[in-house]
Amino acid sequence: MIATRRQIARAAGLVSVLFAISRLLGLLREIIIGAQFGTGATLDAYLAAFRLPDMIFYLVAGGALASAFIPTFTAALARSQDPRQLVAWKLASNVANLTLLITTCLAIAAAILAKPLVEHIIAPGFNETNVDLTVRLMRIMLIGPVIFGLSGLVMGILNSFQHFLSPALAPVIYNLVIIAAALFLAPTMGVTGLAIGVIAGSLGHLLVQVPALLRRKPRYFASFGLDSPDVREVLRLMGPRVLGLAAVQINFVITVNLASRLAEGSIAAVNYAWLMMLLPQGIIAQGIATAVFPTLSTLAAQQQIDTLRRTLNAALRAILWLTLPAAAGLLILRTSLIQVLLERGQFTAQSTQMTAYALAFFSFGLVAHSLLEVITRAFYALHDTWTPVKIGLVAMLINATLGILLLHPMAQGGLALANTIAVTVETLTLLWLIRPRINGLGGRQLVNTLGRSLAATLVMSAALLLFTARTATMPALATVVAGLVIGATVYGVLALALGREELKQLRRTS
């Protein structure tokens, strides 16, 4: 099924709204966790423990599986002559069985090797007490990837059917469950309560999607299908994607490894800053990328390259138009935002300064991170997972090298800057490399959009800087509210004056 631009925009709008709710709930989750644990050693241990389970999920059943499964599953649906779509459902069953087997084996192995992994790779800067706590939390949370593996596959199936509501609701449920755990379990069980909440949340993530899946009348086959061409195609596409995501996850491990050598709370400060940057990135980019990916996959399968190029161009221009002002606002208002959202309880003024310092450098990477969400999916739709992998590995090396070089002179700010430089290089390179694959990228339109948005953003930034300079003693909440109103008003007025083409396009696709 090929969605029109209007259908894509409506789906993107729905997904973006639910992503926004999920991000806001995720922010509420961090507010509650921050008030209870601040940026102390206990939270550092919890975040370090999260790294290995998160890596297993993403490598096996997260983005790797979705990017390989959706194009193959949609192709199976498109060519199916059977009204029951048995070929497609057999593919889904085979992939589900393989996913369950692999994630279970990896989780067991990781639980056995947890202590040496923490001591020598994940957090070598931790003392013995924090190492033991990290190991205990990690072993609890390793149940999560097994559940998330099946849930991620269900998301891919539903997205292939152009159904986005239930998959977009899943992160909302996940965050709600963890919030409940933070409120009712953490006060008596400490961070162990949070770890239990992660497992319960992953189960909710899966169960909320089951009704929508059942309405598609799925069929289950108890086989692995290793001799199936479709299963082999999924595995072929996953191979390089696993390497690419491994590079991303290794970057996270390197960041935790290096931050564990800094002052207590540095891991938590980097994590809070990263999550603050991901809030607008998730609302804007992930909604657009999730909605457009199945259509890009179908267009690629049907060799409609011109339509694919126009669809990709529209998605990239929308992201540029929305993320540039968001990045500027995040940079200028970051300290007040953190004070309003996080500074309470154990999250002190020092915690705010540590987080704001890292966020300043992360904010410069918001546009690149957002564009990357769409451009990588364009490669996956073309069944090219190797190119993003190769560029991702280069970006990993850049991030690791710069992280080491900037660690001591810039502390957590250096880690954030290394990430921003690496992702910018990665995104620009992929944009350049996809051009010959789709007969151009509509470069003139992209440059025009970039120029108009950048001009409007610069004027908006000047207005915000003037405002914040003259209201330094204003309460943080008033600064944030007034700053957001001023920024939105200035950018909105300039958008009407400079961006009529983009606004008309947004209206046509709304």
Side-chain angles (χ1 to χ4, degrees):
M1 178 187 297
I2 300 177
T4 65
R5 288 192 187 183
R6 183 177 297 276
Q7 289 171 326
I8 292 172
R10 287 176 178 172
L14 171 65
V15 175
S16 293
V17 168
L18 289 173
F19 265 131
I21 294 172
S22 176
R23 292 296 188 189
L24 291 172
L25 287 173
L27 187 58
L28 177 60
R29 178 193 70 204
E30 297 306 317
I31 290 171
I32 295 170
I33 292 173
Q36 295 187 27
F37 299 102
T39 51
T42 302
L43 188 59
D44 279 354
Y46 167 78
L47 295 171
F50 210 93
R51 286 271 52 89
L52 192 56
D54 210 36
M55 177 180 288
I56 293 173
F57 164 66
Y58 276 106
L59 293 187
V60 179
L65 178 58
S67 60
F69 176 76
I70 289 178
T72 310
F73 188 72
T74 53
L77 289 173
R79 70 172 186 267
S80 177
Q81 302 299 316
D82 185 342
R84 294 176 297 173
Q85 300 166 325
L86 294 183
V87 173
W89 288 119
K90 188 169 185 179
L91 169 63
S93 297
N94 292 336
V95 173
N97 296 333
L98 286 170
T99 299
L100 186 61
L101 175 64
I102 295 171
T103 53
T104 300
C105 291
L106 288 176
I108 292 172
I112 294 171
L113 299 172
K115 187 161 186 177
L117 287 171
V118 172
E119 287 180 322
H120 302 297
I121 297 176
I122 296 175
F126 279 3
N127 58 36
E128 187 64 25
T129 300
N130 280 350
V131 167
D132 290 340
L133 176 59
T134 303
V135 169
R136 178 163 56 83
L137 295 173
M138 182 185 295
R139 285 172 174 161
I140 295 172
M141 289 191 285
L142 280 167
I143 301 171
V146 179
I147 302 172
F148 268 128
L150 294 178
S151 186
L153 181 65
V154 174
M155 293 180 81
I157 292 171
L158 294 177
N159 284 343
S160 296
F161 280 104
Q162 300 290 332
H163 175 83
F164 300 99
L165 177 60
S166 298
L169 277 173
V172 174
I173 301 301
Y174 175 70
N175 280 319
L176 284 173
V177 173
I178 296 180
I179 287 171
L183 288 172
F184 300 112
L185 296 183
T188 56
M189 300 178 66
V191 287
T192 302
L194 293 182
I196 293 172
V198 168
I199 303 308
S202 65
L203 187 60
H205 191 281
L206 171 62
L207 293 179
V208 74
Q209 299 179 82
V210 170
L213 176 65
L214 294 178
R215 286 195 293 272
R216 270 71 191 172
K217 298 180 180 180
R219 294 287 301 275
Y220 175 73
F221 297 84
S223 63
F224 293 111
L226 294 177
D227 57 344
S228 165
D230 285 335
V231 172
R232 290 181 178 180
E233 177 67 2
V234 171
L235 294 175
R236 184 187 72 81
L237 293 173
M238 273 190 70
R241 178 57 173 151
V242 165
L243 292 177
L245 281 172
V248 175
Q249 292 299 313
I250 290 171
N251 274 333
F252 289 138
V253 172
I254 290 171
T255 299
V256 171
N257 180 300
L258 295 174
S260 74
R261 306 167 191 267
L262 297 172
E264 180 181 295
S266 295
I267 295 176
V270 171
N271 180 70
Y272 281 123
W274 173 254
L275 293 175
M276 292 283 287
M277 187 275 292
L278 286 184
L279 180 60
Q281 188 262 2
I283 294 172
I284 298 168
Q286 288 191 10
I288 294 173
T290 300
V292 80
F293 184 35
T295 298
L296 292 176
S297 298
T298 304
L299 291 171
Q302 298 182 359
Q303 294 297 306
Q304 298 188 37
I305 301 302
D306 289 341
T307 306
L308 187 152
R309 181 181 63 250
R310 290 193 295 270
T311 303
L312 177 61
N313 175 275
L316 294 175
R317 291 169 65 198
I319 287 175
L320 280 174
W321 192 250
L322 295 172
T323 54
L324 276 167
L330 190 64
L331 173 65
I332 296 169
L333 299 174
R334 66 188 187 281
T335 300
S336 296
L337 278 168
I338 295 168
Q339 287 174 333
V340 170
L341 297 174
L342 297 172
E343 192 176 303
R344 57 183 54 81
Q346 297 300 311
F347 198 101
T348 63
Q350 181 182 0
S351 301
T352 294
Q353 293 306 313
M354 292 176 68
T355 304
Y357 180 49
L359 182 56
F361 298 100
F362 273 135
S363 63
F364 285 104
L366 172 60
V367 176
H369 276 292
S370 299
L371 292 173
L372 191 63
E373 288 289 329
V374 172
I375 195 65
T376 51
R377 283 170 170 80
F379 278 99
Y380 305 149
L382 294 166
H383 287 219
D384 178 6
T385 49
W386 273 115
T387 299
V389 166
K390 294 172 185 177
I391 306 306
L393 289 172
V394 173
M396 179 194 73
L397 293 175
I398 293 173
N399 181 72
T401 302
L402 291 176
I404 293 170
L405 293 175
L406 298 174
L407 180 66
H408 292 297
M410 298 180 65
Q412 69 269 22
L415 298 177
L417 179 58
N419 178 279
T420 290
I421 293 173
V423 75
T424 301
V425 171
E426 181 180 9
T427 300
L428 291 175
T429 304
L430 288 175
L431 285 170
W432 179 260
L433 291 176
I434 203 171
R435 293 170 65 252
R437 299 289 303 275
I438 57 175
N439 302 322
L441 197 57
R444 180 174 297 179
Q445 288 179 314
L446 284 173
V447 171
N448 287 340
T449 296
L450 175 62
R452 286 191 288 265
S453 180
L454 187 59
T457 298
L458 288 174
V459 176
M460 182 201 80
S461 299
L464 283 178
L465 288 170
L466 182 62
F467 164 73
T468 54
R470 294 189 174 184
T471 57
T473 59
M474 182 181 289
L477 178 59
T479 299
V480 169
V481 173
L484 290 176
V485 171
I486 291 171
T489 301
V490 172
Y491 190 81
V493 170
L494 291 171
L496 289 173
L498 300 175
R500 293 184 182 276
E501 181 181 348
E502 284 73 17
L503 290 175
K504 287 179 181 178
Q505 178 176 306
L506 288 174
R507 289 193 192 100
R508 286 196 301 267
T509 57
S510 61

